[in-house]
Amino acid sequence: MSEASSIRSKKGWFWLSVGVNLGFLGVFKYYNFFAQSFVDSFSHLGIHMQLSTINVILPVGISFYTFHGLSYVIDIYKDRIKPERNFIDYSLFVSFFPLLVAGPIERATHLLPQMKVKRYFNYAKAIDGLRQILWGLFKKVVIADNCAEYANLIFNHSSNYSGSTLVLGALLFTFQIYCDFSGYSDIAIGTAKLFGIDLLRNFAFPYFSRDIAEFWRRWHISLSSWFKDYLYIPLGGSKGGTWMRVRNTFIIFLVSGFWHGANWTFIIWGGLNALFIMPSIIFKTNRSNLEIVAKGRSLPTPREFFDILLTFSLTVLAWIFFRAASLGQAMQIITGIFSKDLFKAPQTSPKPVILLIIIAFMIVEWIGREGRYAIENIGIRWTPVLRWSFYSFIIVCIGMYMQTTGSDFIYFQF
C-alpha cells in the first residue's frame, strides 16, 4: 500500500486490507446473527425461509486483534507510520500475549516503537507491574467472581425474583463487569511492565464519573479512543452542526454495541448510551468534567455526589440490556424493578462479608482515584513493614474469599 504507484491503487490495497480484516470478523462473529435476523424478518411477512448457519467456535479475542490489525492498516494508509518490514516485530505487535484476548486495543504508533528498542530489566517498573497485577487479581477473583455467582443466579431466573432482588442483581453485575474487565486490564498492563512495555491505559475509575461523557472517557479507554480516531473524526467529528454531532454520536455507540456482540441487546445498550450522552452533545457540555472528581479533596461536593449517583444509575440501567439474554428478558427485568415488589427485602444476596469487601473496595478505589490504578500510590510513604502488611492483607483476602469455581473473563467472548 505504501509503495502503490497511484492514489487509486493505494485506495484499492487499503480497502482490500480492511475487507480481509472485517471479513474474518463478519464470518466468525456476525454471519449467524444476520442469517437468523433475515429469516425472522421474512417470517413476519408469512414467508418461511431456511438459511444455513455455521457452527464454529468463535476465536478468542477476535474483535480485539481485528481492531489491532485495522489500526495498523489505517495508520499506514494515513502515512502516520511506515510498514513494518520485520515479520517478527509485526507478529509480536499483533499477538503480544498480555493483550491478545481482551486488550487494551493497542496502536502500532505506540507499541511497535517499544518493541524495536533494546530493553533492560527495570526494578521500579517491575514492582509497579506486580502491584498492578495484585490489584487486578483481587478485583477479578474476589469482587467479580463473587458478584458473578449471584448476578448469574438472578439473571438466569429473573422471572422468579422481586423488584428489589432484580435491582440487586443489576448492581452486582455492574460491579462484576467493572472488576472483571478492569481486573484483566490491570493484569495485562502489569504483566507488560515486567517486560518493559507500557500498554495504553484502559480504565480510569469510571463509576466516579459525573456525566455519561466522562464515563466514556474513563471506561474501556482504548476502544473509545479507537472509535473516536478511526470512525468519529473521519465522519466529521464535532466540526459540523448539531445534526452531524448527533448522527455521528449515534453511529459510534451503535457500532460499539454491535462490536460487543451479535445480539440486539448489545445494540440497544449502545443506543441507550447514545441517548444518555445526547444532552451533553447538543448543549456542548460533554467536556465539562475532564479532571477526576474532587481532585485534591477527600470528599465530593453534594452536587458532585448527586451527579455521580445519577450517572451510576443510568449506567446500571444500560447494563441490564448488556447482560440480559434477550430484549424480552431485559424488558421483563425493568418491568419487574418498577413494581411494588421493589420495596420488599431481596430474596437472595451475597454473604455480609462479601458486601463489606465490596464497600471496602470502593473506598480504596476512591482514595486511589488520582493514580493510574487504585493502589498505585497507597502506602508509598508508609514504612516497609506497614506497606508489605497492606499487600499481604490483599493476598490473604484473595486466598480466603476467591471463588474457587472461577469464571471466564466476560470480554473473552468478544
Side-chain angles (χ1 to χ4, degrees):
M1 188 181 353
S2 66
E3 297 177 354
S5 56
S6 65
I7 297 296
R8 184 175 182 181
S9 175
K10 185 178 182 180
K11 284 185 177 179
W13 283 111
F14 169 71
W15 285 113
L16 177 63
S17 301
V18 171
V20 169
N21 274 285
L22 293 180
F24 284 113
L25 190 65
V27 170
F28 281 104
K29 190 167 181 177
Y30 298 112
Y31 172 78
N32 287 347
F33 170 76
F34 282 117
Q36 191 59 50
S37 297
F38 189 73
V39 170
D40 291 343
S41 299
F42 274 87
S43 68
H44 291 308
L45 302 175
I47 303 173
H48 299 286
M49 304 176 63
Q50 286 190 338
L51 286 179
S52 299
T53 57
I54 55 176
N55 185 22
V56 295
I57 298 174
L58 184 69
V60 173
I62 187 172
S63 299
F64 289 92
Y65 51 79
T66 296
F67 272 36
H68 281 163
L70 282 175
S71 70
Y72 175 75
V73 168
I74 296 171
D75 285 343
I76 290 177
Y77 178 74
K78 296 287 187 182
D79 294 323
R80 294 171 184 149
I81 58 170
K82 297 293 183 184
E84 178 53 55
R85 305 291 182 184
N86 187 315
F87 179 73
I88 294 177
D89 285 345
Y90 173 76
S91 301
L92 186 57
F93 159 68
V94 175
S95 59
F96 186 49
F97 77 93
L99 51 78
L100 182 60
V101 290
I105 299 172
E106 272 292 341
R107 312 290 182 87
T109 51
H110 181 249
L111 188 54
L112 265 174
Q114 296 185 68
M115 293 177 167
K116 298 183 76 66
V117 300
K118 192 171 184 178
R119 295 180 302 279
Y120 300 92
F121 180 76
N122 185 317
Y123 178 78
K125 179 175 280 191
I127 292 296
D128 186 42
L130 289 172
R131 193 185 296 120
Q132 192 161 2
I133 291 172
L134 176 64
W135 190 240
L137 189 64
F138 173 80
K139 286 197 281 188
K140 168 57 181 169
V141 301
V142 176
I143 306 293
D145 286 355
N146 275 296
C147 288
E149 180 183 358
Y150 291 92
N152 291 340
L153 176 68
I154 295 170
F155 271 88
N156 291 342
H157 304 88
S158 56
S159 60
N160 297 333
Y161 290 113
S162 63
S164 58
T165 313
L166 295 173
V167 169
L168 181 63
L171 285 171
L172 290 172
F173 179 71
T174 299
F175 285 109
Q176 178 200 349
I177 192 169
Y178 170 62
C179 291
D180 186 290
F181 193 21
S182 70
Y184 175 87
S185 296
D186 282 340
I187 294 170
I189 294 169
T191 304
K193 286 178 180 175
L194 298 179
F195 296 91
I197 297 289
D198 290 316
L199 298 182
L200 293 172
R201 191 181 186 187
N202 219 17
F203 288 87
F205 311 100
Y207 288 160
F208 299 142
S209 301
R210 288 152 287 184
D211 57 47
I212 293 296
E214 184 185 10
F215 175 83
W216 280 105
R217 282 193 297 273
R218 298 181 177 280
W219 178 275
H220 204 174
I221 298 168
S222 63
L223 179 66
S224 302
S225 61
W226 196 101
F227 277 122
K228 184 189 76 175
D229 294 342
Y230 297 114
L231 190 56
Y232 184 72
I233 292 177
L235 285 171
S238 302
K239 293 181 179 178
T242 302
W243 159 242
M244 181 176 283
R245 293 200 306 275
V246 170
R247 183 201 66 178
N248 293 346
T249 302
F250 266 101
I251 289 174
I252 293 298
F253 277 101
L254 292 176
V255 172
S256 175
F258 198 49
W259 176 88
H260 280 83
N263 193 320
W264 287 105
T265 54
F266 294 116
I267 297 174
I268 296 299
W269 169 76
L272 268 180
N273 277 284
L275 284 175
F276 293 159
I277 203 174
M278 204 46 60
S280 63
I281 295 296
I282 293 174
F283 297 109
K284 299 182 179 180
T285 58
N286 53 312
R287 299 186 65 80
S288 299
N289 298 310
L290 298 179
E291 292 283 359
I292 189 69
V293 62
K295 186 175 182 180
R297 292 181 278 123
S298 298
L299 296 173
T301 64
R303 172 63 187 271
E304 288 171 336
F305 179 76
F306 174 78
D307 290 343
I308 291 172
L309 194 61
L310 178 61
T311 305
F312 183 78
S313 300
L314 293 175
T315 305
V316 173
L317 179 64
W319 283 136
I320 292 174
F321 285 89
F322 192 95
R323 174 59 180 82
S326 65
L327 288 181
Q329 191 197 22
M331 293 309 301
Q332 176 262 313
I333 290 173
I334 292 173
T335 304
I337 288 175
F338 293 102
S339 67
K340 60 182 180 181
D341 289 343
L342 178 62
F343 302 103
K344 291 183 178 179
Q347 294 155 284
T348 184
S349 68
K351 298 175 183 175
V353 67
I354 299 300
L355 295 175
L356 288 175
I357 290 176
I358 294 173
I359 292 171
F361 160 75
M362 290 305 294
I363 292 173
V364 172
E365 287 268 301
W366 175 265
I367 293 172
R369 69 192 182 284
E370 294 185 29
R372 290 171 296 173
Y373 56 95
I375 63 169
E376 179 186 21
N377 299 316
I378 294 179
I380 293 298
R381 297 181 180 177
W382 297 351
T383 63
V385 172
L386 193 59
R387 185 167 62 250
W388 281 102
S389 297
F390 175 63
Y391 299 146
S392 300
F393 178 73
I394 296 175
I395 294 172
V396 169
C397 283
I398 291 174
M400 289 184 65
Y401 299 109
M402 67 181 291
Q403 273 287 343
T404 52
T405 54
S407 61
D408 291 337
F409 286 95
I410 293 174
Y411 268 68
F412 277 15
Q413 63 183 299
F414 305 138

